Amino acid sequence: AVWLNDFLGPTIRKSKFKDILIFGNDDQRYSFPAWFKDMNRTRLGVLDYLDGLAVHWYWDEMFAPTLIDLTAQLLPGKIVLNTESCIGDKPWQTHGPELGSWERGEMYASSFLHNLQHSYNGWIDWNIVLDEQGGPNYAENYVDAPVIVNATNRAEIYKQPIFYAMGHFSKFVPEGSVRIDAKILSASVEAVAFKRPDERIAVVLLNSGRIPMDVLLIDSVRGEIVINIPAQSWHTIVYN
Ligand SMILES: *[C@@H]1O[C@H](CO)[C@@H](O)[C@H](O)[C@H]1NC(C)=O
Ligand SMILES: *[C@@H]1O[C@H](CO)[C@@H](O)[C@H](O)[C@H]1NC(C)=O
C-alpha cells in the first residue's frame, strides 16, 4: 500500500507509461479479500491505482473461489487474473514433467472451469515451455509445463495434456467472450458457457467421473442436443 500509493502509482500515472495496468496481491486465494482491506486501511484511496487483482492457484483445493467473488464484489470493475499456476511444487507431486499425464491435464481443465465460473477474467500460466527436467531453474524448483522440449536432441517437443486442456479455453473462448449463465442439473458433469464476439456460443464440459454420461444440453433460445461424454474427458461445443 505504501509503495503503490506514495511512489509507484503516482510515478507511473504521471509518466508516458500511464496506461500500464497495475495488479495487486499476486498471492493465494486465502489472502483475498483481507489483503485489499489492509491496503485500504494503510493508505485510503490506494486501491484506485489498481486495475486488477492477481491470484495464484496453489492452494485452490483448500480455499474456495467464493473468496475471489467476495473480493470482486468489494472492488467492482477490477480485472481478476490467475497470474501463476503449475504442477509439481508440492512435496507429494513429481517435481518435473509427467509426460502424457491426463490427470494433470484434468487439474488444469477443472481449474480453468471453476475459475471462470466465478469472477476470474483470464489466466496466465507460469511456464509455457520447459525442458524434460522441468527447468531450467536456478532454485531447482522443477515443475511441469504445457509443452516440454527435448533439450538433449533439440529436435522434439511434447505437447502435454495440459496444453490441450488450455486449448479448450484459449482456442474456443477468444478474447472478448462473455460468460453466460449455465445451470447444471447433473452432479457428475460440470460446465461453463460463453457468448463469443462472433455471437456463437461455446460450452466447455468436463466429466471427471469414471462413467460416460449422456448430457442433454438445453439452450433456451437456440434448441437442444444430446451429447455422450466419455468418462474422464473434457469437451467444447461451439454452436450458432
Ligand atoms: C476503504 O476504507 C473506507 C474508509 O474506512 C471505507 O469507507 C471503504 O469501504 C473501504 N473500501 C474497501 C474496499 O475496503
Ligand atoms: C530426448 O532425446 C534423447 C536423445 O535423442 C533421447 O534419448 C530421449 O529419450 C529423448 N527424451 C524423450 C522424453 O523422449
Side-chain angles (χ1 to χ4, degrees):
V2 173
W3 167 245
L4 179 61
N5 187 77
D6 298 359
F7 304 103
L8 182 73
T11 306
I12 291 281
R13 295 303 180 230
K14 279 182 217 140
S15 78
K16 64 174 173 172
F17 305 110
K18 62 180 169 36
D19 296 329
I20 274 179
L21 301 182
I22 300 178
F23 283 74
N25 188 300
D26 209 38
D27 204 347
Q28 317 297 326
R29 275 183 190 164
Y30 53 69
S31 61
F32 285 62
W35 180 268
F36 298 101
K37 288 184 176 169
D38 269 359
M39 286 180 75
N40 183 55
R41 263 194 297 272
T42 307
R43 284 289 189 275
L44 189 63
V46 65
L47 298 174
D48 293 342
Y49 283 114
L50 289 182
D51 297 290
L53 319 176
V55 55
H56 292 188
W57 89 330
Y58 297 102
W59 297 100
D60 283 6
E61 278 162 25
M62 291 167 71
F63 298 92
T66 43
L67 288 169
I68 305 302
D69 290 331
L70 264 175
T71 315
Q73 279 161 22
L74 196 67
L75 297 169
K78 308 286 189 204
I79 306 163
V80 180
L81 284 186
N82 176 88
T83 46
E84 196 187 298
S85 60
C86 72
I87 302 175
D89 60 301
K90 306 280 191 318
W92 57 87
Q93 293 172 336
T94 306
H95 302 305
E98 283 181 4
L99 289 180
S101 169
W102 289 95
E103 198 185 321
R104 289 184 162 189
E106 190 181 295
M107 284 169 78
Y108 265 68
S110 154
S111 187
F112 285 128
L113 194 142
H114 293 151
N115 285 181
L116 292 169
Q117 280 174 337
H118 291 273
S119 303
Y120 292 67
N121 298 104
W123 183 289
I124 301 171
D125 201 22
W126 200 27
N127 305 287
I128 284 181
V129 179
L130 293 174
D131 66 19
E132 298 142 293
Q133 194 187 4
N137 191 298
Y138 71 88
E140 296 182 9
N141 178 16
Y142 301 112
V143 294
D144 214 329
V147 177
I148 301 300
V149 296
N150 189 325
T152 311
N153 66 19
R154 293 176 173 262
E156 293 167 1
I157 63 162
Y158 312 108
K159 289 195 278 180
Q160 293 272 62
I162 294 173
F163 174 88
Y164 293 99
M166 196 172 274
H168 277 268
F169 298 89
S170 61
K171 181 172 177 180
F172 298 115
V173 186
E175 183 180 347
S177 299
V178 175
R179 181 165 60 88
I180 56 174
D181 195 22
K183 288 194 178 62
I184 297 132
L185 304 176
S186 142
S188 1
V189 175
E190 299 181 276
V192 64
F194 304 87
K195 189 172 191 188
R196 314 190 329 168
D198 64 3
E199 299 290 306
R200 297 169 90 193
I201 306 292
V203 183
V204 189
L205 296 160
L206 170 69
N207 178 4
S208 47
R210 295 185 182 273
I211 47 168
M213 297 292 295
D214 280 328
V215 173
L216 172 62
L217 178 67
I218 306 171
D219 182 315
S220 56
V221 179
R222 306 184 195 201
E224 56 186 69
I225 186 178
V226 176
I227 318 138
N228 184 271
I229 308 285
Q232 294 192 293
S233 66
W234 55 83
H235 304 263
T236 304
I237 292 137
V238 180
Y239 61 88
N240 289 313

